[in-house]
Amino acid sequence: MFYTSTRDKSVKLTASQAILKGISDEGGLLVPAQLSHITLEKIAEMAKLSYIERAKIILSEFLTDFTPEELDSCLAGAYEKSKFSSEAIAPTVHIDGSKNILELWHGPTCAFKDMALQLLPYLMSVSAKKAAAGRQIVILVATSGDTGKAALEGFKNVENTKILVFYPENGVSPTQKLQMLTQEGDNVYVSAVKGNFDDAQSAVKEIFTNSTVKAALNSAGMMFSSANSINWGRLVPQIVYYFSSYCDLINMNEIKLGDKVNFTVPTGNFGNILAAFYAKQMGLPVNRLICASNSNNVLTDFINGGTYNKNRQFYTTTSPSMDILISSNLERLLYHLSNEDENTIKNLMQSLAENGTYTVSDDLLKNVSKFFDAGWADEAGIFATIKKHFESYGYLLDTHTAAAVKVYDDYVKKTGDLTPTVIDSTASPYKFSKDVLSAVLGSEYTGSDAQEELFRLSQMPVPAPITALKGKKVRFSNVCTKEDMPSFVKKCLE
């Protein structure tokens, strides 16, 4: 399998080359030139296997320049049992009726990003041996909360790499911030950015495509890559857990082989739900993909109306990983649904860069509507959903998952669609203890230890990686503007 660019179809890269580059030279995103088909018979076989074995089947279709032995080594290292609090790695839990929760937060940083970012460093190391000619890999990351810590943890002390993470100064939860600022490792660097996630992400993309910076790196024996979902190596592991969850539903007797399911995904940068789209395109029986936003509902407006417009008020919410107005991975979807028309994509992305908005054709919007529904939840709706599900089912939702559950409940009321549905749960409630506790109590919690009180009420164990943060030494205190980010990168590399 080869990879091409959303903005230049003449690009042709192997999987290892695509993983190392992260983003194409002209700014496009790398996508598979074709997709394999997974039959129902193969899915039936996968249902009998472990998560790692399921992952190998799916990843083998995409990473065709990796040997079976290399894939085995990568997967064994990434999903080692000691790193995950669930033996299933990503268990599916039935809640009620057609509602099921896919718990993606049992990894070392208690967020769904671990599912990909525990694997990416291994994929990157193998890729570097194949395609980097001994150069040092410099990982640049902009994070809205969870990617930063997951990437730092995945790449800490990985040989021949450095990782630099930028996060919005006031746009992550206290736990997310503490996880990053206390990160161990000799090759890790962290800085807050004055502004929001979109400011940090835009600046990272500019650094990636700056020819002067790239030339300087090359002469120093270095090259940039990314751990954000703009990197195909970050996105491809996420396809696995949609197949795995379908297998779980079969084993739970919630569906029969061949039955269709819905997926509802709390969405920021559009990578997680795009992985579900790829799974559907490969043959997974999927009915609808339901895109859930918070008050930053730019994706809802686009999917429902065809105009993407980031020129709107930005909200800092209790679900910070969704506080995004430029959803980078949407470019990949539009490329596929526009019949791979690179000129259309270039024009749309140019309009977004220059004007902050674009409108797709009626035909392209119809193609989007064939697959996707969309809705959004405000803060009151998110808090009410957390309280309702705790009181009704004894199940604790974090703020992001609650946004998706609220959007799904609204979807069912609107459509009457009772297709069995999997809702992605993207973070442990303890990463947002104060907000989740306030929601459960029905009023703002003002005490000193929200984690302890949330445990007292729920009896849900606090994850070990979060309890380990108490008293941990803060290592990083840098704050910069987006204009200063290139000089911070230069300083770290020196």
Side-chain angles (χ1 to χ4, degrees), residues 29 37-38 83 108 117 123 152 199-200 257 374 396 411 487:
L29 302 188
H37 183 71
I38 303 295
K83 295 180 179 180
L117 282 167
L123 299 181
L152 289 163
D199 295 322
L257 181 67
L396 210 54
Y411 167 82
S487 61

Side-chain angles (χ1 to χ4, degrees), residues 33 60 139 143 314 463:
S60 295
I139 312 292
T143 182
F314 179 88

Side-chain angles (χ1 to χ4, degrees), residues 26-340:
E26 79 294 331
L29 302 188
L30 298 168
V31 294
Q34 70 282 326
L35 289 174
S36 301
H37 183 71
I38 303 295
T39 64
L40 289 179
E41 290 75 19
K42 179 65 73 174
I43 293 173
E45 291 175 26
M46 290 170 63
K48 302 171 186 176
L49 304 177
S50 69
Y51 188 87
I52 288 179
E53 291 168 325
R54 294 170 183 175
K56 185 176 181 182
I57 289 171
I58 300 302
L59 293 178
S60 295
E61 301 292 336
F62 290 99
L63 308 179
T64 53
D65 58 339
F66 282 58
T67 67
E69 294 75 21
E70 287 170 338
L71 261 184
D72 284 337
S73 177
C74 290
L75 289 165
Y79 301 120
E80 183 185 348
K81 286 184 179 180
S82 64
K83 295 180 179 180
F84 286 79
S85 61
S86 169
E87 191 170 332
I89 306 298
T92 305
V93 179
H94 180 67
I95 299 298
D96 182 56
S98 60
K99 187 183 294 181
N100 304 273
I101 302 289
L102 173 58
E103 294 182 346
L104 297 169
W105 42 262
H106 288 280
T109 76
C110 309
F112 83 101
K113 306 296 175 73
D114 288 325
M115 300 302 299
L117 282 167
Q118 283 300 302
L119 182 59
L120 181 59
Y122 292 93
L123 299 181
M124 194 82 75
S125 294
V126 173
S127 297
K129 291 173 185 175
K130 295 176 182 292
R135 284 186 287 174
Q136 186 175 54
I137 312 300
V138 179
I139 312 292
L140 289 187
V141 178
T143 182
S144 55
D146 289 327
T147 292
K149 171 59 181 178
L152 289 163
E153 187 65 25
F155 280 95
K156 73 175 182 184
N157 293 328
V158 171
E159 188 178 357
N160 222 27
T161 65
K162 290 180 183 287
I163 177 166
L164 289 72
V165 169
F166 297 94
Y167 70 92
E169 183 179 18
N170 298 311
V172 298
S173 79
T175 299
Q176 288 173 317
K177 182 180 290 189
L178 192 58
Q179 282 184 310
M180 289 186 280
L181 298 186
T182 58
Q183 177 64 49
E184 299 167 349
D186 297 331
N187 63 334
V188 303
Y189 306 88
V190 179
S191 178
V193 177
K194 294 181 184 294
N196 58 39
F197 168 76
D198 294 322
D199 295 322
Q201 179 172 246
S202 297
V204 163
K205 283 184 176 179
E206 288 174 12
I207 295 170
F208 260 111
T209 55
N210 185 304
S211 56
T212 303
V213 174
K214 287 197 294 185
L217 274 180
N218 191 48
S219 65
M222 299 178 176
M223 65 177 290
F224 280 139
S225 191
S226 171
N228 285 85
S229 56
I230 57 174
N231 189 322
W232 179 252
R234 235 299 299 280
L235 203 151
V236 67
Q238 296 178 259
I239 300 171
V240 172
Y241 52 68
Y242 291 104
F243 279 94
S244 183
S245 183
Y246 189 90
C247 293
D248 288 347
L249 291 180
I250 293 172
N251 293 336
M252 295 158 61
N253 295 318
E254 293 298 324
I255 61 170
K256 293 184 175 67
L257 181 67
D259 288 350
K260 289 191 173 184
V261 300
N262 296 332
F263 288 104
T264 304
V265 184
T267 310
N269 219 14
F270 206 75
N272 201 2
I273 197 166
L274 181 66
F277 170 80
Y278 280 122
K280 176 178 172 63
Q281 295 300 91
M282 294 174 71
L284 190 67
V286 176
N287 176 42
R288 301 298 289 167
L289 300 171
I290 303 164
C291 178
S293 299
N294 61 13
S295 297
N296 295 296
N297 56 357
V298 63
L299 283 167
T300 306
D301 289 347
F302 170 73
I303 290 170
N304 291 333
T307 294
Y308 194 101
N309 188 352
K310 77 178 186 69
N311 302 320
R312 60 179 68 206
Q313 183 174 349
F314 179 88
Y315 296 95
T316 299
T317 74
T318 57
S319 46
S321 294
M322 300 163 71
D323 291 348
I324 294 174
L325 292 180
I326 302 176
S327 300
S328 292
N329 278 290
L330 186 59
E331 179 175 340
R332 283 183 164 117
L333 178 74
L334 297 178
Y335 174 78
H336 293 300
L337 296 185
S338 65
N339 198 28
E340 301 180 352

Side-chain angles (χ1 to χ4, degrees), residues 217-491:
L217 274 180
N218 191 48
S219 65
M222 299 178 176
M223 65 177 290
F224 280 139
S225 191
S226 171
N228 285 85
S229 56
I230 57 174
N231 189 322
W232 179 252
R234 235 299 299 280
L235 203 151
V236 67
Q238 296 178 259
I239 300 171
V240 172
Y241 52 68
Y242 291 104
F243 279 94
S244 183
S245 183
Y246 189 90
C247 293
D248 288 347
L249 291 180
I250 293 172
N251 293 336
M252 295 158 61
N253 295 318
E254 293 298 324
I255 61 170
K256 293 184 175 67
L257 181 67
D259 288 350
K260 289 191 173 184
V261 300
N262 296 332
F263 288 104
T264 304
V265 184
T267 310
N269 219 14
F270 206 75
N272 201 2
I273 197 166
L274 181 66
F277 170 80
Y278 280 122
K280 176 178 172 63
Q281 295 300 91
M282 294 174 71
L284 190 67
V286 176
N287 176 42
R288 301 298 289 167
L289 300 171
I290 303 164
C291 178
S293 299
N294 61 13
S295 297
N296 295 296
N297 56 357
V298 63
L299 283 167
T300 306
D301 289 347
F302 170 73
I303 290 170
N304 291 333
T307 294
Y308 194 101
N309 188 352
K310 77 178 186 69
N311 302 320
R312 60 179 68 206
Q313 183 174 349
F314 179 88
Y315 296 95
T316 299
T317 74
T318 57
S319 46
S321 294
M322 300 163 71
D323 291 348
I324 294 174
L325 292 180
I326 302 176
S327 300
S328 292
N329 278 290
L330 186 59
E331 179 175 340
R332 283 183 164 117
L333 178 74
L334 297 178
Y335 174 78
H336 293 300
L337 296 185
S338 65
N339 198 28
E340 301 180 352
D341 186 343
E342 63 190 58
N343 291 321
T344 291
I345 301 307
K346 282 190 282 191
N347 291 335
L348 292 176
M349 295 306 116
Q350 184 177 352
S351 179
L352 181 65
E354 294 175 356
N355 308 311
T357 184
Y358 59 78
T359 299
V360 299
S361 68
D362 290 344
D363 285 344
L364 184 46
L365 179 59
K366 284 178 185 176
N367 285 342
V368 173
S369 300
K370 287 177 186 176
F371 301 97
F372 291 87
D373 283 86
W376 66 283
D378 61 16
E379 294 290 83
I382 288 171
F383 275 48
T385 300
I386 293 172
K387 183 175 177 63
K388 172 188 170 185
H389 278 71
F390 182 69
E391 292 176 349
S392 299
Y393 310 113
Y395 192 89
L396 210 54
L397 303 168
D398 88 289
T399 47
H400 304 74
T401 308
V405 171
K406 174 66 166 63
V407 168
Y408 172 67
D409 288 343
D410 291 346
Y411 167 82
V412 171
K413 288 176 186 175
K414 180 179 74 173
T415 65
D417 179 10
L418 294 178
T419 300
T421 296
V422 175
I423 302 168
D424 284 14
S425 181
T426 54
S428 165
Y430 284 105
K431 293 197 81 168
F432 309 93
S433 297
K434 183 176 183 294
D435 294 320
V436 172
L437 179 58
S438 297
V440 169
L441 295 173
S443 60
E444 185 178 1
Y445 178 73
T446 57
S448 59
D449 196 331
Q451 282 180 13
E452 186 176 314
E453 183 62 16
L454 190 58
F455 171 71
R456 189 188 69 77
L457 279 176
S458 69
Q459 292 302 297
M460 177 183 179
V462 184
I466 290 179
T467 59
L469 289 173
K470 290 186 177 180
K472 202 169 181 183
K473 181 182 177 182
V474 171
R475 293 186 62 205
F476 303 101
S477 59
N478 193 74
V479 181
C480 66
T481 65
K482 65 178 183 179
E483 291 79 14
D484 290 334
M485 286 170 58
S487 61
F488 178 78
V489 171
K490 185 172 182 287
K491 179 180 177 184

